[in-house]
Amino acid sequence: MGKIFLPLPYLASDDQDGPVPLLFDHILAIASCARQAFKNEGGLLTMTGDVLPCFDASLLVLPEDASCIVTVPHTLDIASNHGVVVASKSVLSDENFAISLVENLLQKPSLKELVDHQAILDDGRTLLDTGIIAVRGKAWVDLVRLAYSSQPMISELLESKKEMSLYEDLVAAWVPGKHKWLQTRPLGEELVSKLGKQSMFSYCAYDLLFLHFGTSNEVLDHLNETGSRLVGRRHLSSIPATTVSDIAASAIILSTQIASGVSIGEDSMVYDSCISCGVQIGSQCIVVGVHLPAADSLVAEDSSKFCLPDRHCLWEVPLIGYIEKVIVYCGLHDNPKNSFQKDGTFCGKPWNKVLGDLGLQDTDLWSSEGTQEKCLWNAKIFPILPYSGMLKMATWLMGLGNPEDESLESHWRRSSRISLEELHKLIDFSSMCLSSSKHQADIAAGIVTACLNFGLLGRNVSQLFEEVLQNEGGGRDMCREFLSLSPNLQAQNSQTLPKSRAYQVHVDLLRACNDEKKALELENEIWAAVAEETASAVRYGFKENLFESSSQSSKEGQWADSLNGHPDHSFCSRIVKVELPVRVDFVGGWSDTPPWSLERSGCVLNMAITLEGSLPIGTVIETTKTTGISITDDSGHHIHIEELSSIAPPFDNSDLFRLVKSALLVTNVISGKIPLCTGLRIRTWANVPRGSGLGTSSILAAAVVKGLLQITGEDESNENVARLVLVLEQLMGTGGGWQDQIGGLYPGIKCTSSFPGIPLRLQVISLLPSPQMIVELQQRLLVVFTGQVRLAHQVLHKVVARYLRRDNLLASSIKRLAELAKIGREALMNCDIDELGDVMMEAWRLHQELDPYCSNELVDRLFTFSDRYCRGYKLIGAGGGGFALLLARNAESAKELRRTLAEDSSFDVKVYDWDIFLQS
């Protein structure tokens, strides 16, 4: 069928909670990626129409002081059903896009119109309008001014009861070829006067995937496309067991409650509905907003089952001024605008056959007066009756009733009837939205109850809480009832459910109940639980040693006794020095971070490097004859700790020495490990800018832990140090994963995998690239400090919270980052540095999906400026600032980029000299 109001299709991740509406999630994704095209100067990005465009919006180039419409080249047969943009010769182009001035706009043009307007490109295609429009600079200012002065225009429209299309009329104001047409339209002269000074450009994206969802048939075609990974077939639904229902695996069930005894055929879609026992829905059907009662309640004297035949559409519509919703139906391939005299159909059959089978005349459906062409769009065929009567009449009109039952024909003639055209003018959208919201909230509440009573919280219940709150009448009360179940979650599943996950659910519930104060208080328990779970996974028994009283353990330990002035052994002078490189990560970050790495596999590809010819991070630890511990950093800050029992978590965020204090705890030095001396002097340094993203904090922690283990004669292996630093960061409250310390402890380029369990297992595979590849990488890769300070833990807390909520988009992004680490490893081993650049680019896009604020105006400008020279680029670490990696197309491009960055005064950046650190 042609245009009908249907739900938009759904995107999905790997499980059934994953789908989110495409033009909700997709608009956010495109808007986020396109932000850098506006250069943070303000503007407007709109997505309109019935298409789903898929393309890399981060590469969008927008002309200044103009509007811009995104287009895609397509064949002429497709163009005849869409808007077409007529553009001049390209002003700017490359292998991915072309920008040109828009000269005219055509709506569903014929071949003759395309030829007459010179809209056909050299390759025989034409430019399709995707509905994505961006407005910048002066054009944006003009639009804002128009908005501020638009009240009289709106009042004029309301009084005259005329319509103005924000899409067609507004866009036409920027296209001179449409001004003559626009001036005949309501308020057209005002639009031309106030907006017409600026131009519109076409941004033709050659790699754009263009999906049209304008008809019911197209919806099913796209959703049931073979091998499609975009489709989630179950979402927010209550579905009975397979032994008491017959629901095809390929059927798409969204926001729907289905009773036992229901049959749904292959490739059908049921949305926002309630299907009761005994109802049968055929294959390739679309059912929307329908609440079908049980078969035995349809009609008292006739308990026959309701059946929707194959390839049919059925939906309910609330109308203004009517109590009952109207039931509407048609064939999947019916075009409502096709003429009755030509190839028009109803329920898949030609009109003549329909009328003949039902004993009707065309005058029963269409008035003999007027010149309007007879078609399904204006046929007064749908009766307005009590619900059971409409269902019975639907069966008759679809050709499934008893042809000898004349009472149905008589009943139909006497009833009040409505056409699709009239129906679309009377739709009660407010009632439709409220009814849909309440229906979905009720389903969500049932799923939440099941999760809390029976489940292990493996789905995103936070998203379900949001659905429940859509019920404005009782959603908040439902959430308060859920709160009574929440405190017992972890106790009921103590062996399988992580505390951090249970606490996160409780926090989300408190927020759903509008109790922000308690939610903030309980958030501290989440991070404490993550730290405890990390410690447990790193070393068996470690948790007990770590959190026992420092004062008690110090009294029991021989070495601690000596530190407190009771030496049992003679003084032993020892000194150790540990120097380490920094690390740069190519891809895989976030998959190393607890609690992800405690529950799922991770993989990171990174590299140890020196900066400016030296190892920038280090520590010197020496024994002293004086009691206590002295700590000094490279900024001149100093502290002497005499009372060792004062070293205990939690540490204040402002404590400058919490890293060293935490290292003393995780190595058990102050618990009387080995009686070697009476005191310690510890000096640390990190000769890199603060907030660099180079893993400085973790690598410095690794240096201190390694030094303490050396001086006490304990296990200083890189694997042991890496795991202890993982716990140290949880103890400090900064969080963080294992990749930073791995990057600094192990030399060269390595691909590291982690495997969850107790203990957490790390597998470090050092790559052995050829000397030629190392030389090429060092010639092409620029390590650039952006001058922007970043704080990783702020980003980390947001990402960890999303993971604990089981955010499916986040999970799929991190999975892909881990996959890319393996792809990047193969690229390096094959000496394919260009492919490594592609991996970096995809990783950077994924990082922006994980955290939209991981970039900023300066970074966007830097990457836009560098794009012509680079094969790939990304920020190092979590993003937000710090260092960037710029992988040039070749050695000459790298030299040119370095020179231009140095000469451009608008960039306050520094390009560092670096080398791969190949010796441990």
Side-chain angles (χ1 to χ4, degrees):
M1 183 184 175
K3 308 282 184 177
I4 62 172
F5 47 93
L6 286 173
L8 294 168
Y10 277 61
L11 270 176
S13 60
D14 293 338
D15 58 53
Q16 73 170 25
D17 289 322
V20 291
L22 273 177
L23 290 188
F24 172 75
D25 176 71
H26 218 67
I27 286 174
L28 292 181
I30 288 180
S32 177
C33 291
R35 177 173 58 89
Q36 64 192 60
F38 286 87
K39 299 180 180 179
N40 290 322
E41 295 174 353
L44 176 72
L45 179 73
T46 66
M47 292 181 64
T48 61
D50 47 19
V51 298
L52 172 66
C54 305
F55 72 112
D56 186 357
S58 66
L59 302 179
L60 194 63
V61 177
L62 299 178
E64 296 182 2
D65 298 326
S67 60
C68 186
I69 187 166
V70 177
T71 60
V72 60
H74 222 297
T75 55
L76 303 187
D77 58 325
I78 300 297
S80 63
N81 291 314
H82 295 274
V84 169
V85 173
V86 183
S88 63
K89 296 297 181 182
S90 297
V91 175
L92 176 66
S93 65
D94 73 0
E95 60 184 12
N96 298 313
F97 70 90
I99 296 177
S100 48
L101 190 66
V102 174
E103 296 181 343
N104 210 334
L105 303 169
L106 307 177
Q107 284 296 323
K108 298 182 179 180
S110 64
L111 178 59
K112 183 177 185 304
E113 288 177 302
L114 290 172
V115 173
D116 290 345
H117 288 87
Q118 299 181 338
I120 301 177
L121 305 174
D122 293 340
D123 61 3
R125 297 183 296 175
T126 192
L127 294 179
L128 261 62
D129 168 13
T130 66
I132 302 178
I133 300 170
V135 188
R136 282 190 67 199
K138 293 179 180 177
W140 166 237
V141 172
D142 289 347
L143 192 59
V144 172
R145 287 174 177 165
L146 174 64
Y148 274 106
S149 62
S150 63
Q151 190 56 50
M153 300 169 65
I154 295 173
S155 299
E156 182 181 335
L157 281 176
L158 293 174
E159 291 173 4
S160 62
K161 296 184 178 180
K162 294 180 179 179
E163 296 180 355
M164 182 181 75
S165 166
L166 291 177
Y167 177 61
E168 293 183 3
D169 297 75
L170 200 64
V171 170
W174 289 307
V175 181
K178 298 292 291 184
H179 284 181
K180 185 175 180 181
W181 168 84
L182 180 58
Q183 287 169 340
T184 65
R185 300 272 297 160
L187 305 180
E189 292 185 357
E190 288 89 339
L191 291 177
V192 172
S193 171
K194 296 183 178 181
L195 301 179
K197 297 183 181 66
Q198 311 305 332
S199 300
M200 167 166 273
F201 288 84
S202 160
Y203 176 90
C204 179
Y206 295 134
D207 61 347
L208 187 145
L209 178 62
F210 181 82
L211 301 181
H212 185 238
F213 291 97
T215 68
S216 307
N217 187 42
E218 285 178 315
V219 169
L220 283 189
D221 279 350
H222 290 313
L223 294 182
N224 292 306
E225 208 169 48
T226 303
S228 173
R229 295 184 63 189
L230 293 177
V231 179
R233 301 191 178 276
R234 302 289 187 271
H235 174 67
L236 198 65
S237 298
S238 176
I239 302 174
T242 55
T243 55
V244 293
S245 61
D246 177 25
I247 302 175
S250 62
I252 300 167
I253 314 297
L254 309 172
S255 303
T256 292
Q257 186 170 1
I258 299 177
S260 59
V262 168
S263 175
I264 301 176
E266 294 180 335
D267 298 338
S268 290
M269 182 177 77
V270 184
Y271 172 74
D272 196 30
S273 298
C274 184
I275 312 298
S276 298
C277 178
V279 174
Q280 296 175 319
I281 297 171
S283 298
Q284 298 182 59
C285 291
I286 294 181
V287 177
V288 178
V290 171
H291 291 70
L292 292 173
D296 57 2
S297 66
L298 291 178
V299 184
E301 66 275 11
D302 182 3
S303 60
S304 59
K305 298 178 180 180
F306 177 79
C307 177
L308 184 67
D310 293 349
R311 298 175 301 282
H312 274 67
C313 302
L314 178 75
W315 68 104
E316 291 178 17
V317 189
L319 301 183
I320 297 173
Y322 291 85
I323 297 176
E324 291 279 2
K325 292 182 178 180
V326 176
I327 300 177
V328 186
Y329 32 89
C330 61
L332 179 65
H333 300 285
D334 293 344
N335 188 327
K337 299 297 179 67
N338 281 359
S339 171
F340 161 74
Q341 288 85 0
K342 296 179 181 178
D343 52 359
T345 59
F346 176 64
C347 293
K349 296 178 288 187
W351 274 112
N352 285 331
K353 179 169 177 55
V354 172
L355 297 180
D357 291 346
L358 298 176
L360 302 177
Q361 302 295 321
D362 61 338
T363 54
D364 295 324
L365 302 178
W366 297 283
S367 171
S368 57
E369 301 176 359
T371 59
Q372 193 175 20
E373 191 171 34
K374 300 174 183 178
C375 59
L376 175 56
W377 180 249
N378 52 37
K380 295 176 72 74
I381 194 172
F382 303 105
I384 303 177
L385 298 167
Y387 197 90
S388 60
M390 283 190 290
L391 277 180
K392 194 170 184 181
M393 202 64 69
T395 300
W396 176 67
L397 286 169
M398 286 187 289
L400 303 178
N402 183 357
E404 298 179 1
D405 189 349
E406 297 181 357
S407 64
L408 290 174
E409 177 190 341
S410 175
H411 194 189
W412 179 84
R413 292 182 183 277
R414 294 194 309 270
S415 66
S416 173
R417 301 191 303 277
I418 193 170
S419 68
L420 289 175
E421 182 179 31
E422 295 167 326
L423 178 145
H424 275 66
K425 294 178 180 178
L426 293 174
I427 296 175
D428 189 340
F429 288 103
S430 176
S431 173
M432 179 187 294
C433 292
L434 287 174
S435 175
S436 177
S437 296
K438 186 179 185 307
H439 170 69
Q440 294 181 27
D442 290 342
I443 294 177
I447 296 173
V448 169
T449 301
C451 288
L452 297 180
N453 283 326
F454 316 119
L456 293 175
L457 306 180
R459 66 170 71 199
N460 189 344
V461 289
S462 174
Q463 188 180 57
L464 292 171
F465 297 154
E466 292 178 7
E467 294 282 358
V468 171
L469 291 175
Q470 295 303 307
N471 181 357
E472 297 180 359
R476 194 81 67 184
D477 291 335
M478 289 183 188
C479 289
R480 292 191 181 98
E481 291 179 14
F482 298 148
L483 262 181
S484 63
L485 302 173
S486 180
N488 301 322
L489 287 174
Q490 217 281 324
Q492 293 171 359
N493 304 281
S494 59
Q495 299 301 314
T496 51
L497 180 64
K499 283 184 180 180
S500 57
R501 172 71 177 136
Y503 283 139
Q504 184 65 60
V505 171
H506 199 168
V507 166
D508 291 336
L509 253 179
L510 287 169
R511 290 205 163 100
C513 295
N514 212 21
D515 194 340
E516 183 66 21
K517 181 179 179 182
K518 287 185 178 179
L520 289 173
E521 292 173 356
L522 193 59
E523 273 188 345
N524 294 326
E525 298 293 335
I526 295 176
W527 307 116
V530 171
E532 183 178 340
E533 290 155 11
T534 304
S536 177
V538 168
R539 192 167 75 188
Y540 179 75
F542 180 80
K543 173 176 69 70
E544 291 79 7
N545 290 332
L546 176 62
F547 292 106
E548 70 181 5
S549 169
S550 295
S551 59
Q552 178 64 29
S553 60
S554 66
K555 291 177 182 178
E556 296 173 353
Q558 289 180 321
W559 190 26
D561 281 343
S562 69
L563 288 175
N564 281 292
H566 305 285
D568 296 328
H569 300 267
S570 60
F571 172 71
C572 178
S573 177
R574 296 190 65 182
I575 183 169
V576 297
K577 181 178 183 180
V578 180
E579 291 182 294
L580 293 176
V582 290
R583 70 96 185 96
V584 294
D585 62 302
F586 293 112
V587 62
W590 291 119
S591 72
D592 65 307
T593 305
W596 175 283
S597 59
L598 306 182
E599 301 172 4
R600 307 187 188 213
S601 298
C603 188
V604 178
L605 180 67
N606 64 18
M607 176 173 68
I609 65 170
T610 62
L611 288 180
E612 304 293 334
S614 66
L615 296 170
I617 297 174
T619 184
V620 171
I621 304 175
E622 56 185 311
T623 58
T624 65
K625 290 184 178 181
T626 57
T627 61
I629 297 175
S630 294
I631 308 171
T632 306
D633 66 17
D634 53 358
S635 297
H637 300 111
H638 175 78
I639 187 174
H640 181 80
I641 304 171
E642 190 71 32
E643 185 59 46
L644 301 185
S645 61
S646 66
I647 303 177
F651 297 110
D652 191 276
N653 290 341
S654 62
D655 187 343
L656 298 175
F657 304 99
R658 58 180 174 153
L659 185 150
V660 176
K661 291 178 181 178
S662 298
L664 291 165
L665 284 174
V666 299
T667 55
N668 286 330
V669 166
I670 62 173
S671 299
K673 249 320 189 180
I674 298 177
L676 295 176
C677 59
T678 58
L680 288 176
R681 181 183 298 118
I682 302 172
R683 181 168 62 88
T684 64
W685 64 88
N687 297 322
V688 293
R690 179 175 177 268
S692 65
L694 297 172
T696 308
S697 170
S698 301
I699 297 172
L700 179 58
V704 176
V705 168
K706 194 174 186 70
L708 288 171
L709 293 175
Q710 283 183 14
I711 208 165
T712 56
E714 290 294 293
D715 179 8
E716 58 165 308
S717 67
N718 285 340
E719 182 176 358
N720 187 47
V721 172
R723 292 192 298 149
L724 288 177
V725 172
L726 189 61
V727 181
L728 179 151
E729 293 195 315
Q730 307 303 322
L731 193 63
M732 286 176 60
T734 57
W738 46 255
Q739 77 128 325
D740 294 347
Q741 53 267 37
I742 291 292
L745 288 167
Y746 291 83
I749 305 172
K750 51 266 174 190
C751 186
T752 307
S753 299
S754 66
F755 305 93
I758 298 179
L760 175 71
R761 186 163 60 91
L762 298 175
Q763 183 183 56
V764 183
I765 300 177
S766 295
L767 306 189
L768 300 174
S770 67
Q772 177 186 354
M773 195 279 289
I774 292 177
V775 170
E776 182 180 356
L777 186 61
Q778 293 191 156
Q779 288 176 340
R780 291 176 58 180
L781 187 66
L782 270 62
V783 178
V784 182
F785 182 56
T786 65
Q788 305 287 297
V789 175
R790 50 172 291 286
L791 294 175
H793 72 274
Q794 295 177 354
V795 178
L796 185 141
H797 279 197
K798 295 176 185 177
V799 172
V800 168
R802 285 180 62 191
Y803 172 70
L804 289 174
R805 292 190 181 103
R806 297 302 186 260
D807 184 311
N808 291 286
L809 292 178
L810 176 134
S812 62
S813 294
I814 296 180
K815 282 181 183 178
R816 179 57 180 167
L817 286 168
E819 291 172 3
L820 286 171
K822 298 171 185 177
I823 295 172
R825 176 192 65 194
E826 294 304 312
L828 284 172
M829 293 308 295
N830 293 328
C831 298
D832 190 347
I833 294 181
D834 285 348
E835 185 177 1
L836 177 65
D838 296 338
V839 166
M840 290 168 58
M841 290 296 285
E842 184 174 351
W844 176 234
R845 289 194 291 270
L846 289 169
H847 275 260
Q848 291 177 90
E849 288 180 13
L850 289 171
D851 176 30
Y853 300 100
C854 71
S855 188
N856 54 50
E857 180 182 358
L858 185 143
V859 172
D860 289 345
R861 283 201 305 112
L862 174 63
F863 287 169
T864 300
F865 179 86
S866 305
D867 186 69
R868 74 191 80 169
Y869 303 99
C870 288
R871 183 64 188 237
Y873 44 75
K874 66 182 290 288
L875 286 180
I876 298 171
F883 276 76
L885 290 181
L886 305 178
L887 183 62
R889 298 181 185 275
N890 49 54
E892 289 303 314
S893 294
K895 292 178 181 177
E896 181 66 14
L897 177 56
R898 183 166 188 156
R899 183 186 62 79
T900 53
L901 285 174
E903 293 176 353
D904 193 326
S905 59
S906 65
F907 288 109
D908 185 18
V909 301
K910 178 180 178 181
V911 181
Y912 275 70
D913 291 328
W914 68 275
D915 289 288
I916 301 178
F917 178 68
L918 296 173
Q919 300 179 23
S920 58

